[in-house]
Amino acid sequence: MPAPRLEPAPGFGPTYTEMLHPKTLPAAIRRKALAAHANELDPINLYNITWRKPDNSIRHIVLPKKLTGVEANIVVLVGREFPSGSHKVGPAYATLMEGELAGEIHRGENTIIGPSTGNFGIGVAYISKLKGYPAIVIMPEQMSAERYQRIRQYGGKLDLTPGSESDVILVLERTEHYKKDARNKVLAQFELLPNYRFHRHVTGGSALEAAQAHGNGQVAAFVAAPGSAGTLAAGDAIKEQFPDAVICALEPRECSTLFNNGRGTHRIEGIGDKMVTLIHNVLTTDYVMLIHDDDCVVGLLQQRQAFIETLLQLRAGSLRPFDGVFGISSVCNILGAIRLARHLHLGPKDNVVTIATDGFDRYPSVLADLAKRKPMASDRALRDSFEAIFRGGSSADILDVRPRQEKERLFRYKQETWSKFGYSDSYLEGMKSQSFWEGEAARVAEFDSALLKARKS
Ligand SMILES: Cc1ncc(COP(=O)(O)O)c(C=O)c1O
């Protein structure tokens, strides 16, 4: 008799709880998923959407203090091992999964639309391929070449809008056009709450666990540069456990929208989208910090690893575990975490947690461009830029957004953008209360039990 198929129907996948704790998966599914790592187009890989390694520990790195120059532990969660190469596959999966459970999205009837600046689009194309949907990714035309390549590789179609990272509003406007055809289903990362739920439950839970092994085991601060602001929701889980923890949102200095309504172009792909996204819980954001975009491009640690090791008098090859682990926004997050730790005078017991959304594989073309723009001729020039980048930053770049008037300002920005896209004043008003976010987080249980029921049937 043939062995029963272990693959669930392509419509299914893990619950939020199983993404946080894959150990709770049926053992046969977990085993099969781990064995399928190398074959990324096997649909069983849906069950590899998790921050955990096969041994169930959380994928993270604590940066050497010689590199950070601060006493606090800078704990970086590593996203590039997620299927498709970045943690953005998590919100893509969660949004499609909730849409299916709500009976709004059906395989064979619908086309999936992914408004994005790249990694979410890659995640959408990937998840759609695994689940058997056609996908169209709408994104700006000036993102890294590696992004378009991946989307095509997963069979996604591309619809490109003018401009770059900071022209996401054009992507949202193009998305409205697709909504006119009811067969198109938009995984709207900037406005749908599964993005918040994934990060609050899965990323937040993983961040808390990663910190347990370091310093005092608590989290003093969480730092992330928002694109959709989904990742920032991990901070809400952290605050639930450690109410004194601080959440800091980073922005490119060149596009300082949260800081002071600045709206320029910049080079940090994935973040700084010229808006307060609908799913950004501004109530729990304590600080906004500006980071110069070129610091992040130049600071890609991989670029001159041997040089950095010599400069810091590290053992040769001791940075090797970081090889390829960081993309540009990861460097931004690392710089933000270091500067916040310095600003808050955090000590050796304190943990600052941040995220490396994707790895270096998405950026060789960007470094090639950098080499043309800024030939880094001498070691002296590199040494100076290292000092400026890793030991630099000024408190003038940090804004405390805890006062009520700052919250009101951010709410106003949110309202300006989202009332144009049809959100009512009363819905937007509701978001000004923490109970809105608690209610949305609590829905994890509802979706989990609906999914388990669907899997059984
Ligand atoms: C490379 C990169 N970094 C950071 C982010 C920001 O993450 P989030 O959208 O969760 O705010 C994104 C989002 O697409 C990204 O692609």
Side-chain angles (χ1 to χ4, degrees):
M1 215 170 120
R5 274 166 61 90
L6 287 175
E7 291 97 333
F12 297 120
T15 62
Y16 286 108
T17 304
E18 289 165 340
M19 288 188 275
L20 176 57
H21 294 296
K23 246 172 124 174
T24 59
L25 280 166
I29 291 187
R30 173 79 167 141
R31 208 176 326 111
K32 238 194 148 200
L34 288 174
H37 249 304
N39 177 14
E40 66 166 357
L41 293 183
D42 183 335
I44 198 87
N45 276 294
L46 290 173
Y47 294 93
N48 286 324
I49 299 176
T50 178
W51 288 98
R52 289 184 196 270
K53 295 181 198 169
D55 68 4
N56 285 312
S57 62
I58 305 289
R59 278 184 232 108
H60 74 281
I61 286 171
V62 180
L63 295 175
K65 295 193 177 175
K66 275 195 176 163
L67 178 70
T68 64
V70 293
E71 290 187 335
N73 306 300
I74 308 297
V75 180
V76 189
L77 261 57
V78 174
R80 72 158 185 179
E81 300 295 331
F82 273 82
S84 88
S86 93
H87 77 53
K88 292 291 295 185
V89 74
Y93 164 74
T95 312
L96 181 49
M97 174 264 279
E98 287 195 13
E100 287 177 328
L101 290 174
E104 287 163 4
I105 305 181
H106 302 277
R107 199 154 46 95
E109 286 177 29
N110 297 125
T111 295
I112 304 300
I113 310 296
S116 173
T117 58
N119 278 329
F120 184 75
I122 293 170
V124 167
Y126 177 75
I127 290 296
S128 301
K129 172 100 182 154
L130 263 48
K131 287 193 161 216
Y133 290 90
I136 301 172
V137 176
I138 310 170
M139 61 186 279
E141 64 191 357
Q142 289 168 26
M143 309 308 290
S144 74
E146 292 82 358
R147 283 167 156 71
Y148 307 118
Q149 224 168 301
R150 274 267 189 156
I151 289 165
R152 290 198 188 98
Q153 180 187 323
Y154 295 143
K157 290 205 178 113
L158 282 162
D159 182 358
L160 303 182
T161 53
S164 64
E165 180 65 52
S166 36
D167 298 296
V168 171
I169 291 284
L170 299 180
V171 170
L172 296 185
E173 285 168 3
R174 180 75 55 88
T175 307
E176 291 300 297
H177 159 79
Y178 282 92
K179 282 184 184 165
K180 289 180 191 147
D181 183 339
R183 286 168 301 183
N184 294 328
K185 297 294 176 186
V186 181
L187 305 189
Q189 59 163 330
F190 301 96
E191 52 196 296
L192 296 181
L193 278 306
N195 188 1
Y196 178 82
R197 273 186 280 280
F198 173 82
H199 284 296
R200 176 150 176 182
H201 192 73
V202 183
T203 306
S206 303
L208 283 163
E209 190 175 321
Q212 274 170 15
H214 309 290
N216 59 9
Q218 304 183 2
V219 180
F222 179 70
V223 176
S228 70
T231 307
L232 269 181
D236 284 13
I238 290 168
K239 280 202 173 182
E240 203 178 339
Q241 194 155 327
F242 302 115
D244 293 335
V246 158
I247 302 180
C248 178
L250 309 175
E251 289 190 304
R253 182 181 296 149
E254 296 69 21
C255 186
S256 52
T257 311
L258 305 178
F259 198 90
N260 59 6
N261 210 9
R263 287 158 198 263
T265 53
H266 67 91
R267 295 176 189 278
I268 313 177
E269 299 191 27
I271 71 156
D273 294 339
K274 276 191 189 158
M275 65 172 129
V276 179
T277 66
L278 193 69
I279 62 150
H280 182 172
N281 180 11
V282 298
L283 293 170
T284 50
T285 301
D286 299 300
Y287 294 96
V288 175
M289 187 193 302
L290 302 180
I291 306 277
H292 176 34
D293 63 353
D294 252 6
D295 281 2
C296 305
V297 183
V298 176
L300 270 188
L301 299 178
Q302 296 85 348
Q303 197 194 6
R304 290 294 290 269
Q305 185 164 299
F307 170 82
I308 290 176
E309 278 170 345
T310 314
L311 176 69
L312 297 173
Q313 297 169 333
L314 294 168
R315 215 166 3 93
S318 62
L319 288 176
R320 194 62 59 195
F322 310 157
D323 223 3
V325 170
F326 303 125
I328 301 171
S329 75
S330 319
V331 179
C332 177
N333 283 347
I334 288 168
L335 296 178
I338 294 171
R339 292 172 190 182
L340 187 71
R342 201 182 305 128
H343 182 73
L344 298 177
H345 307 291
L346 298 180
K349 288 190 181 155
D350 296 316
N351 296 319
V352 181
V353 181
T354 192
I355 303 284
T357 300
D358 61 8
F360 182 67
D361 58 297
R362 307 253 140 118
Y363 303 101
S365 63
V366 176
L367 277 198
D369 171 62
L370 176 72
K372 273 189 238 145
R373 283 193 296 121
K374 288 191 175 193
M376 304 269 239
S378 67
D379 274 2
R380 173 73 193 270
L382 257 182
R383 180 184 304 271
D384 290 348
S385 71
F386 175 86
E387 289 292 326
I389 292 169
F390 282 88
R391 304 286 180 260
S394 135
S395 48
D397 289 335
I398 302 177
L399 178 68
D400 184 345
V401 292
R402 287 171 299 181
R404 191 69 216 170
Q405 73 268 20
E406 290 295 338
K407 300 293 179 209
E408 288 299 336
R409 180 178 64 85
L410 294 170
F411 286 137
R412 244 188 349 268
Y413 290 174
K414 186 187 267 195
Q415 226 135 0
E416 276 164 22
T417 301
W418 295 100
S419 51
K420 277 189 228 142
F421 290 107
Y423 284 89
S424 68
D425 286 349
S426 64
Y427 185 77
L428 293 166
E429 201 59 32
M431 291 185 144
K432 293 183 179 178
S433 158
Q434 185 61 22
S435 61
F436 172 92
W437 303 96
E438 297 309 320
E440 288 297 337
R443 294 194 69 197
V444 160
E446 177 193 323
F447 287 108
D448 276 7
S449 81
L451 180 51
L452 287 177
K453 209 159 135 205
R455 277 203 335 229
K456 265 197 199 117
S457 68

